[in-house]
Amino acid sequence: MGAVEDGRFGGIDLSPWGKFDPLTLTGYPLLFHLIDVGAVAGELWDRYLVPSQRALIARGLGVPQEQARSMVAFLAAMHDVGKLIPFFQCGAKTARLRLGEDLLADTGPVVTLGHARASMHIGLGLLAEAGFERAGSDSPAVRAAQCLGGHHGRFLQVDVDQGASDGRVEATLGGPSWQDLRRRYARLLWHLFGVERAPGSLSAEAAVLITGVTMVADRLSSQRHFWLPRAHTPAFGANEHYSQAREHARQEVTSSGLERFALEETAFSAAHRGLERPNALQASVLQELPALVRERGAGIAVVTDAMGAGKSVTALEMARIFNEHCGTQGVAWLLPATAAADHTYEVLDRYVRAHRPQRAPVTLVHSHAWLNEAYADRILKAGAGSVLDGPGDDAGEGGDEEEHGPGPAGPDTWLSGWDRALLAQFTVATVDQAQMAVLPVRHSAMRLLAMSGRTVIIDEAHALSSFSHLQLLRLLNWLGALGTPVVVLSATLPASTAQELVRAYLSGAGHRPAALDGASLAPGYPGWVFADAATATRHRMGETASDRHAAASRRQVRIRVLDVTYRRLGTPGRTVEAGERLEAAARAVEQVVTGGGCASVVCQSVADAQDTLAYLRRRWPEAASDMVLVHARAPGRRKERALRRLRRVLGPDGPRPDRMIVVTTSLLDTSLDIDVDLMVSDLASIARLLQRLGRLGRFTHRWAGEQGRRPAWWNREGGPCLTVLHPVNSRGATTLPPGWGSVEPAAVLHATARLLPCLDAADLTVPDMVQPLVEEVHGVTSDFARETGRLRELLAGHQARTSREEHLSAVHLVPLPERVSSLADLHRQHLTTARAATRLGTMPRRLLPCYRTPAGTLTLDAAGRHPLPDQPHLSPRQIRAVLEHTLPVPAAWVARSAPHNRAPDNWQRYPLLAGTVLLPAEPNDPDLEHRFGQYLLRMDEDLGLVSRRERP
């Protein structure tokens, strides 16, 4: 029989099952599931993929776009052909009884094999029969077969001459009846989806995107509400089901929120609230970039500008231009920290809503996103479901491994059901979520699919460690290969780093590194540069426009350096002597205590911040209520509320308090649009000090002429002042306290300390002096660190550590796009998101401070009104309530926990609660320290988590 006859009523055997619901004993024909996934993939092609992605796939297949659509739908439909084997079909006894007699009689020996690998082995032969060339690892048949096997998240290696050979498939995966039915299924799908001929090629980039589409389509089609009603009222044949499946697919893609939409044209002042017109830098972008992009296509742009000068607005305008001319839609905005991402989420959401779309799917993706309304409650549920999808593949074959745990990049968003946060058209995420796309973890193809269809904004690009920076470079390689527009933002980016980022993108786009040698790819300061992917031609912002912008944003600030002796506060009654760090910080903020205003004291560590707040409150108890402590060692909800309040009251339009002193850590260093009148900072790198200056008098130009914004003591002519506390020993030499060198490299801190005397009590002009200062300490051509033997020694140690970090990072990176032969090269290593680090040395555990009542019950609150949930099934609201009270701590701090620190066993079923450690406060001794080996921890209501370590 031919494909036409097979599609009719009674034309082909529909007894093999693809889904089974044990609650209702309802099976769903495998062929119908395959058709569903293909139909959804076709809808995703039409309504989720953007023109640039469609064009890339069509080029990679070597066929017109209409035929590329048919091929993508066909390959997506073929993803589960490996379920048509005896091992899978015998996995559910009730479903097995429904198999036809011919299949049961031809079962033969049942060989254990996961259906993802079986799909790849079977698909290789079927695709070759359909005309796909079967040759080496990069041949179309092999790569297409790997797309089928990779739908569970990992690309598998094809053993063409052994396991995937025709003889082995026929001998181990069912007899001739099984093979004949598989062949008929493939021909029918080929016919239904309108494939005309096999492609002559299949590029690695196209294969990755096709696999990503298949993953999304499979997850949408596998939802219980999607297939179970149609299982109860099945179609009479494949043709009828296909006609229904297209409508159901259209409805599902619409309801999922994945459909792309174009933002309507909106005036600049309406799109960017509070701005009447673009500044000089933004105006140059609006005048010059559209013609460049229209002529040359996608590329990478780097924007460097002073802190608070409007880089976010510039990035959004660049994204609008790229999306208009490059066939992309939407924005993926990547930031280095969760606090910065939370703020940027509000910025992007406000920007999208200003265009008045019918819907605004702006999502937030990071490890603490469940604190934000953008995080779906679905992720809080347990992973168990009622749908039986057959025996799981083993971990070595990319099956249902555990992806949750205390991973540095947070929970795997695909573990416990359907979550589309990273796939949304407008997304704000921490950069580690994107870095996972170039690590050998499950669903990396889906992450690349999500990133490639829109403009990617990489904010605060200077803030990554060497370990993370190398992963960012590899991500840029892939974004260049996928033709994705990229915008890089920074206020303190060394020219060498900007050059490296642009070269990585262009090399991914196909330009040999040797061809890029000698070309200056870094922008001026302030300024922007654009290099297109097609020709690697560089275009810089004009000097006249740059000078005009610098003049408009120019302001004077002062840096005052105080040499201090570092001592911890210790016992509450200890006398703090003159010259100590704590006393110097108190003297620096005294005018705020007495004369009002807003000040920030930025400490190098959480312990120092806790000591500083305690001392300031002891010094001025009458002002204690105006002192705020913000750091990472506070329960999630408390920290999130504190940051939200700061963004509101210290923002450009906020109800500015008469007096506020914010004691914090580096948590507020990046991407927060706040302003303080006075700032005190511990010694930090010059880049961080300049970033902090960006919050000091930030809105001076904006508030020009407004009364009541500044305190009476504000020195308008002299400019705001940053006081840097420089720790020294008795001889006056820089002496870093214990632990400070782990926050930033000691060499960089010492180099900055050597530079500070030149800046002490002198006017610092921003933006003119920013780039020279950054280059002097952080630039690769700087000879500043060679001034003394001590600095040379520190620099050598720093370079050695950097090399080690880069080596460790490179070990897990996927290959460059041009070096991918077999798609299995992308998953040579078996990493879960819990083990694949995106930041070196950060493997946190969740700590839950709680309270024990006199009756022995554990509660979330001191009043005892909210007991810890401990029933068999937890609701998303209960899980969220627990998570809001947790905080991340280094795993080493709680490695040796006692039985009373263990969470209820039932919590292990929930990915975000698994591994939680309890820290109960005892009713008779609320200040009791809990011992975890050498570490002693307690939760203070004012200071947050207080930790200390007993040295052996």
Side-chain angles (χ1 to χ4, degrees), residues 42 103 132 145 164 174 206 227 335 349 378 431 451 508 515 566 738 746 783 905:
L103 293 179
F132 286 72
W227 65 266
L335 297 109
D349 184 64
R378 229 170 310 204
V431 69
M451 300 297 298
Y566 178 88
D783 59 357
D905 294 339

Side-chain angles (χ1 to χ4, degrees), residues 558-768:
R558 289 173 295 146
I559 294 181
R560 183 176 60 153
V561 182
L562 296 180
D563 290 345
V564 298
T565 303
Y566 178 88
R567 283 188 65 188
R568 292 291 308 278
L569 182 60
T571 58
R574 182 180 77 82
T575 300
V576 176
E577 300 176 355
E580 285 192 39
R581 170 191 170 277
L582 293 172
E583 176 62 21
R587 282 192 287 109
V589 301
E590 186 171 4
Q591 58 185 335
V592 173
V593 176
T594 58
C598 299
S600 174
V601 182
V602 188
C603 306
Q604 192 74 336
S605 70
V606 172
D608 293 331
Q610 291 169 333
D611 281 355
T612 302
L613 180 76
Y615 179 68
L616 293 180
R617 285 182 171 176
R618 189 178 86 184
R619 180 81 172 265
W620 294 292
E622 71 280 3
S625 61
D626 297 324
M627 299 177 184
V628 180
L629 179 65
V630 183
H631 58 71
R633 298 282 182 252
R637 176 56 68 186
R638 188 193 306 177
K639 182 183 72 173
E640 196 270 342
R641 285 175 176 170
L643 289 171
R644 190 190 308 143
R645 180 187 174 221
L646 292 184
R647 294 197 298 268
R648 181 176 61 87
V649 302
L650 298 181
D653 305 313
R656 200 166 181 85
D658 294 332
R659 178 173 64 187
M660 174 181 278
I661 300 175
V662 182
V663 181
T664 184
T665 59
S666 59
L667 198 65
L668 302 187
D669 278 358
T670 57
S671 296
L672 289 182
D673 200 21
I674 61 175
D675 173 293
V676 294
D677 306 309
L678 181 147
M679 181 176 287
V680 182
S681 172
D682 280 329
L683 174 66
S685 67
I686 191 65
R688 286 203 179 189
L689 292 178
L690 290 171
Q691 287 287 341
R692 291 167 188 175
L693 275 174
R695 277 87 199 154
L696 179 59
R698 186 183 185 95
F699 306 135
T700 299
H701 288 298
R702 187 167 184 168
W703 291 344
E706 294 189 35
Q707 299 296 323
R709 289 286 192 174
R710 298 294 184 191
W713 52 264
W714 174 261
N715 185 351
R716 293 185 180 277
E717 295 183 1
C721 181
L722 168 65
T723 300
V724 179
L725 305 179
H726 175 213
V728 298
N729 58 20
S730 57
R731 299 185 302 276
T734 303
T735 303
L736 299 183
W740 280 26
S742 62
V743 178
E744 290 189 279
V748 173
L749 293 177
H750 278 274
T752 301
R754 294 275 295 179
L755 177 66
L756 287 178
C758 302
L759 304 175
D760 186 24
D763 287 342
L764 177 66
T765 304
V766 177
D768 306 64

Side-chain angles (χ1 to χ4, degrees), residues 21 24-28 224 227-234:
D21 180 28
T24 60
L25 298 180
T26 303
Y28 192 54
R224 195 168 184 265
W227 65 266
L228 190 57
R230 285 180 277 285
H232 289 149
T233 56

Side-chain angles (χ1 to χ4, degrees), residues 799-884:
Q799 291 172 340
R801 283 189 295 274
T802 298
S803 297
R804 287 196 297 271
E805 286 190 22
E806 291 176 345
H807 172 74
L808 290 171
S809 182
V811 166
H812 289 162
L813 287 177
V814 303
L816 295 165
E818 63 189 35
R819 296 184 181 177
V820 175
S821 178
S822 167
L823 294 179
D825 294 341
L826 300 176
H827 289 102
R828 290 292 181 191
Q829 302 173 75
H830 187 80
L831 290 181
T832 66
T833 52
R835 289 165 43 211
T838 55
R839 303 177 190 178
L840 191 62
T842 55
M843 295 294 287
R845 294 281 297 276
R846 292 195 190 280
L847 185 70
L848 175 62
C850 53
Y851 303 85
R852 193 184 306 279
T853 67
T857 303
L858 292 177
T859 63
L860 293 172
D861 61 321
R865 291 190 297 266
H866 303 287
L868 264 63
D870 189 19
Q871 57 263 39
H873 300 287
L874 304 182
S875 68
R877 188 175 72 170
Q878 289 175 313
I879 298 174
R880 186 184 296 277
V882 173
L883 292 173
E884 288 175 352

Side-chain angles (χ1 to χ4, degrees), residues 70 90 194 205 207 222 271 308 311 326 392 395 502 517 530 559 577 582 620 684 707 794 797 821 823 852 862 929:
S70 298
C90 295
E205 295 87 347
S222 297
K311 292 186 295 297
C326 298
V502 176
D517 290 342
F530 168 67
I559 294 181
E577 300 176 355
L582 293 172
W620 294 292
Q707 299 296 323
L794 289 169
S821 178
L823 294 179
R852 193 184 306 279
E929 291 182 313

Side-chain angles (χ1 to χ4, degrees), residues 253 309 320 329 361 369 401 778 900 917:
V253 171
R320 179 185 59 79
Q329 287 182 320
E401 69 210 44
H778 299 275
H900 65 271
V917 178

Side-chain angles (χ1 to χ4, degrees), residues 254-602:
T254 299
S255 63
S256 71
L258 292 174
E259 184 177 9
R260 304 275 186 167
F261 62 92
L263 295 179
E264 295 183 0
E265 187 173 347
T266 303
F268 183 90
S269 58
H272 308 287
R273 189 184 67 184
L275 299 180
E276 295 182 4
R277 63 185 65 86
N279 61 32
L281 188 149
Q282 293 157 2
S284 73
V285 168
L286 296 175
Q287 293 166 7
E288 301 174 40
L289 188 61
L292 294 171
V293 177
R294 191 183 306 115
E295 176 186 353
R296 304 179 189 174
I300 182 171
V302 180
V303 180
T304 54
D305 200 359
M307 300 69 66
K311 292 186 295 297
S312 295
V313 173
T314 305
L316 288 171
E317 288 300 312
M318 282 185 160
R320 179 185 59 79
I321 294 168
F322 281 133
N323 290 338
E324 181 179 351
H325 300 291
C326 298
T328 53
Q329 287 182 320
V331 169
W333 202 325
L334 309 179
L335 297 109
T338 58
D342 289 338
H343 169 73
T344 303
Y345 169 75
E346 297 174 0
V347 173
L348 183 58
D349 184 64
R350 186 166 57 244
Y351 172 79
V352 173
R353 292 181 186 278
H355 291 77
R356 301 185 181 278
Q358 292 184 349
R359 55 187 180 84
V362 184
T363 58
L364 179 66
V365 189
H366 62 66
S367 59
H368 293 87
W370 37 265
L371 285 171
N372 192 287
E373 62 184 8
Y375 205 88
D377 276 345
R378 229 170 310 204
I379 194 62
L380 303 177
K381 298 179 181 178
S386 64
V387 176
L388 181 62
D389 200 21
D393 296 331
D394 61 47
E397 294 183 341
D400 300 323
E401 69 210 44
E402 290 188 346
E403 288 283 352
H404 56 79
D412 186 330
T413 56
W414 303 105
L415 172 69
S416 55
W418 172 249
D419 179 79
R420 55 183 178 268
L422 201 59
L423 285 169
Q425 185 170 340
F426 294 93
T427 301
V428 176
T430 47
V431 69
D432 48 16
Q433 296 292 335
Q435 288 168 205
M436 283 291 179
V438 291
L439 294 177
V441 299
R442 288 184 69 193
H443 310 300
S444 56
M446 188 145 36
R447 292 178 188 265
L448 283 172
L449 172 71
M451 300 297 298
S452 63
R454 54 261 184 92
T455 298
V456 174
I457 300 174
I458 302 171
D459 207 346
E460 307 291 353
H462 62 276
L464 298 180
S465 66
S466 300
F467 185 90
S468 300
H469 178 71
L470 198 63
Q471 295 178 351
L472 177 60
L473 294 179
R474 186 55 48 88
L475 176 64
L476 287 171
N477 290 145
W478 274 89
L479 294 178
L482 294 170
T484 303
V486 173
V487 179
V488 178
L489 305 177
S490 179
T492 55
L493 189 68
S496 56
T497 304
Q499 183 100 352
E500 199 174 18
L501 295 173
V502 176
R503 284 170 61 95
Y505 180 91
L506 295 177
S507 64
H511 300 278
R512 298 298 177 189
L516 302 174
D517 290 342
S520 176
L521 302 172
Y525 194 97
W528 59 273
V529 65
F530 168 67
D532 65 280
T535 68
T537 304
R538 171 188 59 85
H539 178 87
R540 262 206 192 107
M541 176 185 180
E543 289 187 10
T544 302
S546 178
D547 292 342
R548 187 165 60 249
H549 177 65
S553 59
R554 185 169 290 126
R555 62 192 181 100
Q556 302 291 326
V557 295
R558 289 173 295 146
I559 294 181
R560 183 176 60 153
V561 182
L562 296 180
D563 290 345
V564 298
T565 303
Y566 178 88
R567 283 188 65 188
R568 292 291 308 278
L569 182 60
T571 58
R574 182 180 77 82
T575 300
V576 176
E577 300 176 355
E580 285 192 39
R581 170 191 170 277
L582 293 172
E583 176 62 21
R587 282 192 287 109
V589 301
E590 186 171 4
Q591 58 185 335
V592 173
V593 176
T594 58
C598 299
S600 174
V601 182
V602 188

Side-chain angles (χ1 to χ4, degrees), residues 901-915:
N901 299 118
R902 294 172 188 161
D905 294 339
N906 178 54
W907 289 13
Q908 304 309 312
R909 298 177 55 243
Y910 298 86
L912 290 175
L913 297 185

